[in-house]
Amino acid sequence: MKGNIYPDLIRIFYTNLKFEGNNLVSHVKGVDMEITREVWASVPGLKYVGLRINKGNIGVVEDFNKIQYYKSCLKNPHAQVRTCSVGGLKLYERLLALFVTWILTPRGSNHSVLTEEDLIYIYYIMNKVKINWIHIYEVK
């Protein structure tokens, strides 16, 4: 093993990685490692503050109308809406939607169709409302 990066140890770390409660744990060369909520928060500099959003409480935005907000993000707000897809959005909203669906709250497929939860994230980000991202990742 030479240098500062050891691919074999990294591979073993990920191979042994598992969830125990809310923590990730692994075992490499006789060393137990635990990644806690505090460690996750310290790496990107996140704080455990802000609104907690998940499927159970997306109603935290009072009077949020998914279709009305989606139409306000469209290049042509008078277009007929069948599904909330990324295709007709203005540039900034489209980039933000793709960032939300691919990076912040990734899912297995269909990144082009926005859920109500995705639209609420976009709404909060555009209105500079603090979101508790650590809570979101704990829930998923």
Side-chain angles (χ1 to χ4, degrees):
M1 294 196 286
K2 297 179 182 177
N4 295 327
I5 298 173
Y6 306 106
D8 293 336
L9 293 178
I10 293 169
R11 190 173 306 111
I12 293 169
F13 173 82
Y14 282 115
T15 301
N16 296 332
L17 193 63
K18 61 185 174 185
F19 267 108
E20 285 185 9
N22 282 336
N23 301 330
L24 288 169
V25 295
S26 187
H27 184 82
V28 179
K29 293 191 71 131
V31 177
D32 290 324
M33 292 172 245
E34 184 173 23
I35 301 174
T36 64
R37 170 180 21 192
E38 291 77 21
V39 171
W40 273 120
S42 69
V43 172
L46 295 174
K47 293 184 171 73
Y48 203 68
V49 296
L51 289 175
R52 293 181 178 202
I53 304 170
N54 56 37
K55 290 192 186 292
N57 73 343
I58 57 174
V60 295
V61 181
E62 289 188 30
D63 301 326
F64 184 81
N65 184 320
K66 173 182 172 180
I67 301 300
Q68 185 179 0
Y69 180 69
Y70 175 72
K71 281 186 169 188
S72 75
C73 296
L74 290 174
K75 289 184 251 183
N76 178 8
H78 304 294
Q80 292 286 54
V81 175
R82 291 192 185 110
T83 61
C84 296
S85 65
V86 176
L89 298 176
K90 298 175 207 166
L91 178 63
Y92 184 73
E93 287 82 352
R94 178 185 260 187
L95 290 172
L96 191 53
L98 292 172
F99 187 72
V100 166
T101 60
W102 280 90
I103 297 172
L104 295 177
T105 59
R107 51 183 169 252
S109 64
N110 206 355
H111 296 88
S112 64
V113 175
L114 301 172
T115 64
E116 186 172 10
E117 189 177 20
D118 297 333
L119 288 168
I120 288 174
Y121 291 137
I122 294 166
Y123 174 82
Y124 277 153
I125 292 169
M126 292 198 54
N127 290 290
K128 298 179 181 170
V129 176
K130 288 187 179 186
I131 299 171
N132 189 329
W133 293 107
I134 298 170
H135 172 73
I136 291 166
Y137 298 122
E138 282 180 348
V139 171
K140 294 215 180 249

